[in-house]
Amino acid sequence: MNKIIPTVILTLDVQNNNCIPITVTTNTNTILAITSVSKVGSHYNIRQQLLKFIDLFINQYNINTIIMEQNKLFIDKIDRHPDPFVLSNITLGYGIKISIQDKYYNSVKYIFELPQKEWKDNVLNKSVKYSIDLYKSHILLRDLGQDFLQIIDKNSCYKALCLSESVLYKSLMHKKYLINKE
């Protein structure tokens, strides 16, 4: 059995409303870089901007793991036909997944797509399902400086940083969540 050992992790939050936050962290969850790509413009241009940042970070930090949340087609059991805004986010999310898979399938060792329920149950408190600032309150528990918190807030990276903590849980670093299985 091959062991999955992430060292430098790039995490994306494709489900964010205004932008796509990107974080680069180590396997001990030390933050190396934070930025975001605006969701204004065509899906093609958004994907191209995102891929430029990913290329930059791969060259700069020698990234071996990419983590993103699994794209969901339906937001709940009642709504079987998503509204145009939700549908646009879904198609953008799938487009980003396919672009990353096409470009980095062989060059990045691990590409994970984690289901929302599994990573949230591990990283965040299982009993807390709804909170206004669930991600922000979790990040504020970490010992980060005020400068880092301002950068995180400016780029809306709270959820992406929470998702990056998935590497701390062996149950989430499993082959069943890999996109680029061999």
Side-chain angles (χ1 to χ4, degrees), residues 14-142:
V14 180
Q15 274 80 31
N16 192 301
N17 290 333
N18 302 321
C19 61
I20 301 168
I22 307 166
T23 63
V24 179
T25 56
T26 64
N27 58 352
T28 59
N29 224 8
T30 303
I31 301 169
L32 301 175
I34 294 174
T35 192
S36 61
V37 173
S38 173
K39 279 190 170 180
V40 176
S42 71
H43 287 186
Y44 176 79
N45 288 334
I46 295 168
R47 286 193 310 270
Q48 292 305 306
Q49 274 189 305
L50 182 65
L51 292 176
K52 283 180 188 175
F53 274 114
I54 293 173
D55 284 341
L56 174 77
F57 289 142
I58 285 174
N59 292 331
Q60 190 171 358
Y61 296 106
N62 198 21
I63 289 167
N64 80 331
T65 306
I66 296 175
I67 297 176
M68 56 190 144
E69 188 176 88
Q70 191 175 51
N71 207 353
K72 295 188 309 184
L73 182 55
F74 301 112
I75 52 176
D76 61 28
K77 293 178 182 161
I78 297 168
D79 189 12
R80 293 292 183 210
H81 304 285
D83 62 50
F85 180 73
V86 172
L87 185 60
S88 176
N89 277 342
I90 290 169
T91 56
L92 176 61
Y94 279 114
I96 289 169
K97 175 190 169 187
I98 298 303
S99 296
I100 288 172
Q101 191 172 1
D102 285 347
K103 188 163 185 177
Y104 305 109
Y105 190 88
N106 294 315
S107 61
V108 175
K109 193 167 186 177
Y110 310 115
I111 303 174
F112 285 98
E113 189 179 33
L114 300 175
Q116 182 183 40
K117 183 180 179 348
E118 277 81 354
W119 80 262
K120 276 187 169 183
D121 284 352
N122 282 284
V123 174
L124 304 172
N125 189 346
K126 278 185 185 182
S127 61
V128 179
K129 297 292 182 194
Y130 304 101
S131 174
I132 294 171
D133 286 332
L134 178 64
Y135 306 116
K136 185 174 184 176
S137 62
H138 181 77
I139 295 303
L140 291 177
L141 294 174
R142 292 176 62 177

